[in-house]
Amino acid sequence: MRYVTLRVSPTEGEAFHPLGRALSADEAVERGNIHRVEMLDDGSGLLLAEARGDVERYREILDESEHVHEFSIVEDEGWWYSYTHFEPNNANREMLELQYESELAMETPIEVEEDGSFVLTLVGPMAAFREATPTDTDAYTVEVLETGEHHPELGDLFLSLTERQRDVLEAATDLGYYDNPRQATHEDIAAEVDASPSTVGEHLRKVESRVFTHLVR
């Protein structure tokens, strides 16, 4: 298993999204790390991010943005965390689709730099990097900062899976797929996670390959 740490920078302005640009432009708000970002089936996005400064001004920016469906904010020792349901633009959607469709897992948090660039680390098998590492587009540029062998602890191994792989693995475990004798089939798991049996089989093969690679390295 390998990792690559990238700096992904917007080609214009200080953010990839109008909401990010509004936050970056306001001196009362300091953006922090992104702890989770994902795309839902309807094409909208979910974002868990931290910030600090004037929380009421932050709330106003989110409330006034046409790109925000809903949000909630929790304050914690000078920082606060916002959970935001938002509408991605083309740049966001492209990056999220790449993450969802590949075998690479994105480690969190994602560091947000002062110029709006993201510093993020992707983890996965070598073959997946050749197919799915982001490259320059009209919306962003990509700089490789570091790469090498990734040796996760057992606790980190689960986190290195994609969210969909984790969902399938959890359902398989809960239904007894790995019991002896086996208590569930791909069809049973597929009904639980709303996927086809062939998709379930593909996800489980990728999960098992990652686990076995870690154990015998």
Side-chain angles (χ1 to χ4, degrees):
M1 188 178 297
R2 295 190 62 83
Y3 77 91
V4 60
T5 300
L6 308 171
R7 176 182 287 114
V8 184
S9 305
T11 54
E12 297 183 5
E14 296 184 350
F16 295 95
H17 188 274
L19 177 59
R21 285 195 288 273
L23 294 170
S24 296
D26 199 300
E27 295 182 356
V29 173
E30 178 184 346
R31 299 175 70 194
N33 292 338
I34 295 172
H35 291 269
R36 183 172 181 178
V37 59
E38 62 183 82
M39 187 168 65
L40 303 180
D41 290 342
D42 64 2
S44 62
L46 288 177
L47 176 72
L48 176 61
E50 66 182 44
R52 64 181 175 184
D54 187 339
V55 67
E56 291 307 319
R57 178 57 187 148
Y58 187 88
R59 194 185 306 274
E60 288 176 3
I61 293 173
L62 268 61
D63 193 47
E64 294 169 359
S65 175
E66 62 179 333
H67 304 282
V68 174
H69 296 295
E70 57 183 341
F71 67 90
S72 60
I73 297 175
V74 177
E75 297 184 61
D76 182 25
E77 298 183 355
W79 288 88
W80 64 83
Y81 298 84
S82 63
Y83 193 72
T84 306
H85 181 201
F86 71 103
E87 196 63 33
N89 60 7
N90 289 337
N92 302 145
R93 190 169 287 109
E94 183 176 335
M95 287 189 286
L96 290 171
E97 287 177 348
L98 181 65
Q99 175 192 352
Y100 186 82
E101 294 171 359
S102 77
E103 294 184 48
L104 299 180
M106 184 183 299
E107 293 191 336
T108 56
I110 301 169
E111 180 182 348
V112 180
E113 299 192 317
E114 290 186 5
D115 64 356
S117 299
F118 291 170
V119 176
L120 55 92
T121 297
L122 302 175
V123 177
M126 175 62 76
F129 280 102
R130 289 193 290 266
E131 300 172 0
T133 302
T135 57
D136 292 355
T137 70
D138 292 339
Y140 56 82
T141 60
V142 180
E143 175 188 0
V144 176
L145 301 180
E146 186 176 314
T147 186
E149 290 290 333
H150 183 66
H151 304 297
E153 300 296 330
L154 285 175
D156 295 333
L157 189 58
F158 182 75
L159 297 178
S160 75
L161 304 176
T162 67
E163 182 162 357
R164 191 58 169 164
Q165 288 170 350
R166 293 197 296 268
D167 290 342
V168 172
L169 179 59
E170 287 178 339
T173 303
D174 291 344
L175 293 172
Y177 179 79
Y178 290 106
D179 290 354
N180 187 17
R182 181 165 286 170
Q183 303 297 315
T185 65
H186 287 177
E187 287 75 12
D188 297 325
I189 302 168
E192 184 73 16
V193 299
D194 191 22
S196 69
S198 61
T199 297
V200 166
E202 181 181 355
H203 282 307
L204 289 178
R205 284 191 295 273
K206 290 177 179 178
V207 169
E208 291 160 2
S209 174
R210 186 162 296 175
V211 171
F212 295 150
T213 298
H214 170 74
L215 291 176
V216 303
R217 62 173 171 80

